[in-house]
Each structure stands twice: as C-alpha cells, then as structure tokens.
Amino acid sequence: MKEDANAGGKRNVAEWQKGLIRQDEIDRYLVDGKDFIDDDAIEAEIARGRGAGADRVRAIIKKAYDIKLMDSADVACLLGVEDPALKEEVFKAAREIKTKVYDNRVVTFAPLYCGSKCVNRCKYCGFRCDNEAIERRVLTMDEIEAEARVLAAKIGHKRLVVVYGEHPDTDADYIAESMRRIYSIKERVRNGVGEIRRVNVNAAPLPIEGLKKLHEAGIGTYQVFQETYHKKTYAAVHPAGTLKGNYPWRLYALHRAMDAGIDDVAVGALFGLYDWRFEVMGLVAHARDLERRFGLGPHTVSVPRLEPAADTDFSWVTNRVSDDEFRYLIAVIRLAIPYAGLIVTNREKPEMIRSVIKMCTQRDADTRVGIGAYTDDFPAGAATQREENQQFMLGDTRSLDAIIRELAEMGHIVSFCTAGYRCGRTGKKIMDALGSGREGCFCKLNAVLTFQEWLEDFASPETKRIGDEIIDREMKEVRARVPADFSEAMWEHLVKARERILRGERDLYF
C-alpha cells in the first residue's frame, strides 16, 4: 500500500480545505451573478463560424497583424476552416505574427516538481489522491535547492516553472519559501555563475492573501490552467466536493492574482478533455475578461495534451486531439491572442515540437517531472522516467544542449533573458511594448547577451560553434537595423556588453 496522499501534513487536511475557498473572492468578479463562460453561446458561435467564405477568413487573418485580441466571432471562423489551402494561409500568418512580435527567439525553461501529494481526484491525473500506484513525497527545502542547483549549475537554466500539488504541505508559505531558496543559489560554473533569475509558479488557485505572499517572494508568472472550460466536462472529470471541483474558484484564480499584485499570469487548457475548438474559444474568453477587468491579457498560453499516467484509465476520452488538429489550434491561438507567449512542452515528441516551434515562443528542455528526478538522474547523466514517480509521461527528454543545437540549426536564437521583469517591463507595460514591437528590440539585444553567456558557461563544443554562428548573424542584423530600429548608442552598448561577457562578466542587459 502506497502512502495516502492526505496522510500526515502540517495540519488536518479537512480543516485546511474548509477555509481555503473564499466565496467573496469569486463574487467580486461576476457580472450580473454570472461568470464569463457561457457554454451554449460558445457552442452556437462555433456553429455559426463553420463554412465562412475565403474572403472573410482572409480579412480576419489580415486584421490579426494588428496584434490585438481577436473577436470571438472571428476566432470561430478560423476554427471552422476546413480547406487545406486556406489553413496554410493561417499557418503562414501564425509564423509571421510570431516573428513580428517575438522575432526568431525561443525561450527555454525547465519544470521543477516539488510534491506528489494532492487532495483532488482529477480523473485524468496520475497524482489524484486515490491513486495507490503513486509514491507520495513532498520535497524539503534542502531537496528543492539540490534540484535547482542541478538545473542552474549543471544544465544552465535561468528560469524555472515550479509545480506544486494542492495540499496543505505545499501551501502558500511553502511555495514562497521554496522560491526564496531557489533565488538564493549562486554557484560558480565553467566561466561564470549558475543561478535562477526567474521563478514562475504552476500551483493550485489561492486566495488573495496567499497570492500576496508569492508576490512578495518575487514570483515571475503565475500559471493556473482551467484544464477544460466546458462546465459539464469540468464537473465530470473533477469530482464534486473536492477543491478543484469548484469551477469558478479556479476560473478566477488569475483575477485574484492580478488583485494581489501579480501582473504576469498564464492560461492554458488540457486538450483532449473536450472539443479543442471550445477550449480555444474558452482561452480567448479568459483573455478578454482579464483585459476587461485589468487592461491586459495573459502573459503566456500553454497547450498541453493528455498523456499517459500511472494506473490511469483513459478509455472514457472521446475528444483526443490529432496531430493535425493540434498544429492548427496552435496557429489559431497565435492569431487570436497574438501578444501572448505561446508554450509547447515536452509532453510532445521532438518531431511535433519541431513542426510548431516557429509559431511558439517557449519550450522546456532537459525536463524531468518526477519528484526529485533531477538529482536522481544527473549524477549518472541518464534520462529516466518512472510512472510511479511522475504525474504523466514525457515525449521528449533530450538535453538542453541538444535542443539548443537543434533550434540554432533551425535558425532560432535561444534567449535566457529575464531583464524585462527586473526592469519593470511587466504587465501592461510589456503588453503595450509587444504590440508596438518595442519589446522585441530589447529582447533581441538581450537574447544575444544571455545566449553568449550560456554558450561560454555550458555549451558542448559543437553547440558552441553553431551558437556562435547564430550570434554573429544576429549582430549583423542589429547593425543593419541601425538607426531604423536601434540607435547607434544601443549598438555600441551591445558590442561592449558582449565583449564584457566574453571576459567573464555576467547578467548584463538592456
């Protein structure tokens, strides 16, 4: 018998659950007592969007280049496109809009799973509390630091998304302390220093009081994925009486984060639970309500698909998303929420990621989702997966070095930049700058500097050779764009900053 996920802990689980959800922190966001997801209205709009003429679809595509959140009726039209040639026009626009807003940069990160204890019984999740096949464990602060040291000093990551189950042993105080411990790491590496400069958090919904603790601890982006926006499906896969069974509490998690001072939030849906078209409409509706209330939408959008998990029956799933549908939904999201970063993860196999990365801005690398898996794996350098130790199975476990080399061969520069967040270019400021293209200029310069850092400190010889070629190309492009996009002073600062990095200085940015 495996350890009960609800056994032990800092206090009684039932008592903790009873006081967590605050109804007033749902009601304050409702309009006329209703939330912003109307299932029937969304289904009707999807139906109306089917069979739109080519002229209308092309007009929608053209308007997407304005880098504004798309009207729901226009999104429904794109979702209804069936003509392969017209779909190719959507794909082309998605690639061009990604380049317009984010240039050829790809940001890499790694997830760090801190615990497998959870009070919920989500039908699709390996970590559901009644799954006896899972080894239950919550990392201590020393163990979290050890995991983060591998990521920062052996691999070279600069940003993490730290993942927590919904359990009193991983409450807001635990999350805040783990963030502080991760930020404290400064370890000498080959030519510089290994450190994590941005800690994003994927955690259960919290009340505003708890979210303020995360803000004070220096949270980057706060991720809460609705999983499915379809209410009937949501109720079917999240049993009533559990914390996650409360649909509106989860739906307004990011609203509460904004009110707590966290101005970078992230949405996502678990594709495969319900019709992918509905979920895309739900993501756009979520972005629209954030814009309505706070003046800015989500910082990133994630697109995970259902993956196998230990002792988890998926025979009930009737909405699996095919590879072709998956590629197309990513293209539609890129047009529909064009300012947002778009994250594809190592749930997918390498060939799938390669096929969509020109529409995306972020991906993970050297990923382990087992509890304690980084310190378990990296002394031997072996990428292993154990069903009983992780929430789901991965499709790509390649090294960061290998992934960076592949991206460089495809013409991408990998950015480890976190400067914008520390310079105050967050929230509405960064959204406005992304829409105008100004942020892309800063990010291009910072990508050169941070990529040079990583190449000097962590790259294998072949990856460094290919990476240096990419940097030389990027430098020539910046020079050619003076004075149209970059001033002479910016160019001179870039040249000098790169020289300082080659001499051993670190963390230089615009």
Side-chain angles (χ1 to χ4, degrees):
M1 176 75 75
K2 303 292 184 184
E3 179 189 350
D4 183 346
N6 294 334
K10 290 177 285 189
R11 57 187 178 276
N12 181 273
V13 171
E15 177 188 344
W16 172 78
Q17 291 188 82
K18 184 178 179 181
L20 189 66
I21 294 177
R22 319 283 172 82
Q23 186 62 41
D24 65 308
E25 293 187 9
I26 297 172
D27 294 342
R28 65 194 296 176
Y29 305 113
L30 303 177
V31 176
D32 297 327
K34 297 180 180 179
D35 63 52
F36 57 84
I37 297 293
D38 184 330
D39 287 17
D40 292 340
I42 290 174
E43 298 279 18
E45 195 141 50
I46 291 171
R48 287 194 298 271
R50 293 192 183 99
D55 288 346
R56 183 177 179 193
V57 172
R58 289 185 178 120
I60 293 168
I61 292 171
K62 183 179 179 180
K63 191 164 56 173
Y65 285 84
D66 293 337
I67 318 301
K68 302 293 184 185
L69 184 67
M70 187 174 284
D71 293 339
S72 59
D74 288 347
V75 179
C77 286
L78 294 184
L79 293 173
V81 172
E82 294 184 356
D83 177 59
L86 206 52
K87 281 188 174 181
E88 281 304 315
E89 294 184 37
V90 175
F91 281 117
K92 180 175 181 289
R95 293 189 292 268
E96 291 178 350
I97 287 170
K98 186 269 180 176
T99 301
K100 179 179 180 180
V101 179
Y102 288 97
D103 204 79
N104 63 326
R105 292 175 296 109
V106 174
V107 169
T108 55
F109 66 94
L112 197 173
Y113 276 67
C114 290
S116 54
K117 289 185 177 182
C118 188
V119 300
N120 294 307
R121 299 195 308 279
C122 305
K123 196 173 180 180
Y124 50 84
C125 182
F127 283 174
R128 65 188 181 279
C129 64
D130 56 358
N131 187 359
E132 295 185 355
I134 293 293
E135 296 174 354
R136 302 295 174 176
R137 179 182 175 191
V138 171
L139 298 181
T140 66
M141 291 301 148
D142 287 346
E143 288 172 329
I144 289 173
E145 182 175 333
E147 291 277 284
R149 282 189 183 280
V150 171
L151 290 158
K154 289 185 167 47
I155 302 173
H157 279 293
K158 300 300 181 190
R159 67 172 77 197
L160 305 181
V161 56
V162 190
V163 186
Y164 308 85
E166 189 160 23
H167 192 275
D169 287 358
T170 50
D171 62 7
D173 291 322
Y174 174 92
I175 296 171
E177 180 56 30
S178 66
M179 291 167 55
R180 285 189 283 266
R181 184 67 76 96
I182 292 167
Y183 279 132
S184 73
I185 295 169
K186 308 283 181 186
E187 184 167 326
R188 291 297 302 176
V189 294
R190 185 192 299 165
N191 297 305
V193 62
E195 62 181 343
I196 302 300
R197 296 173 184 162
R198 182 168 172 89
V199 178
N200 300 330
V201 169
N202 182 305
L206 292 168
I208 293 172
E209 175 187 12
L211 290 162
K212 286 181 177 178
K213 295 178 181 180
L214 307 194
H215 179 52
E216 292 165 1
I219 188 175
T221 301
Y222 178 55
Q223 297 181 343
V224 175
F225 303 159
Q226 191 64 19
E227 317 295 14
T228 175
Y229 287 91
H230 187 252
K231 289 173 179 170
K232 184 176 179 180
T233 301
Y234 189 96
V237 298
H238 303 115
T242 62
L243 286 174
K244 200 163 179 178
N246 190 314
Y247 180 98
W249 178 247
R250 192 169 189 86
L251 189 66
Y252 288 108
L254 303 181
H255 290 61
R256 294 193 298 277
M258 291 281 203
D259 274 333
I262 302 171
D263 56 4
D264 280 352
V265 297
V267 299
L270 182 53
F271 286 94
L273 295 179
Y274 188 60
D275 178 11
W276 61 271
R277 298 167 187 83
F278 188 100
E279 306 298 10
V280 171
M281 295 287 284
L283 288 167
V284 174
H286 206 155
R288 181 171 295 106
D289 205 72
L290 289 168
E291 284 195 7
R292 176 191 67 82
R293 178 83 185 194
F294 302 101
L296 68 153
H299 186 67
T300 58
V301 180
S302 292
V303 290
R305 282 195 289 183
L306 281 173
E307 295 296 338
D311 200 26
T312 302
D313 174 25
F314 287 104
S315 63
W316 52 272
V317 176
T318 59
N319 288 284
R320 285 200 178 274
V321 178
S322 72
D323 287 352
D324 286 345
E325 290 170 334
F326 185 64
R327 293 186 189 95
Y328 188 65
L329 73 86
I330 288 174
V332 173
I333 292 171
R334 169 50 64 216
L335 270 62
I337 317 177
Y339 54 72
L342 189 49
I343 301 174
V344 61
T345 73
N346 281 354
R347 287 174 178 257
E348 302 298 331
K349 291 182 170 57
E351 54 270 25
M352 173 56 73
I353 298 174
R354 282 193 292 270
S355 73
V356 300
I357 197 64
K358 289 185 182 295
M359 300 181 288
C360 298
T361 61
Q362 295 189 31
R363 64 155 301 171
D364 50 327
D366 239 326
T367 296
R368 308 291 182 270
V369 294
I371 311 302
Y374 291 106
T375 47
D376 288 346
D377 273 353
F378 278 87
T384 59
Q385 294 196 73
R386 296 191 300 118
E387 275 195 339
E388 68 274 14
N389 190 41
Q390 55 195 72
Q391 189 181 25
F392 54 86
M393 302 304 287
L394 293 167
D396 189 356
T397 58
R398 291 177 298 159
S399 70
L400 176 59
D401 187 272
I403 286 170
I404 284 178
R405 185 164 62 250
E406 176 181 89
L407 288 168
E409 289 169 344
M410 295 175 68
H412 299 282
I413 183 169
V414 172
S415 176
F416 294 88
C417 175
T418 60
Y421 312 111
R422 291 178 286 165
C423 291
R425 296 197 299 270
T426 60
K428 193 170 190 311
K429 289 182 180 178
I430 197 170
M431 292 300 177
D432 291 343
L434 286 167
S436 68
R438 295 194 309 275
E439 185 65 18
C441 291
F442 283 115
C443 291
K444 190 173 188 69
L445 303 177
N446 288 325
V448 168
L449 299 179
T450 57
F451 191 39
Q452 189 74 71
E453 268 194 52
W454 188 87
L455 292 173
E456 299 303 308
D457 293 344
F458 297 100
S460 66
E462 180 62 11
T463 299
K464 187 173 189 314
R465 182 189 67 79
I466 296 172
D468 283 338
E469 291 175 358
I470 287 288
I471 289 182
D472 288 342
R473 186 199 68 190
E474 294 292 298
M475 294 288 286
K476 290 176 182 176
E477 184 181 332
V478 172
R479 175 72 266 189
R481 290 168 59 181
V482 175
D485 297 315
F486 304 99
S487 67
E488 192 69 37
M490 292 173 77
W491 165 251
E492 291 175 1
H493 181 74
L494 175 65
V495 172
K496 290 177 181 177
R498 185 188 180 197
E499 291 172 351
R500 290 165 63 190
I501 285 170
L502 292 171
R503 292 196 300 266
E505 290 189 57
R506 294 293 179 266
D507 201 16
L508 306 177
Y509 53 84
F510 284 82

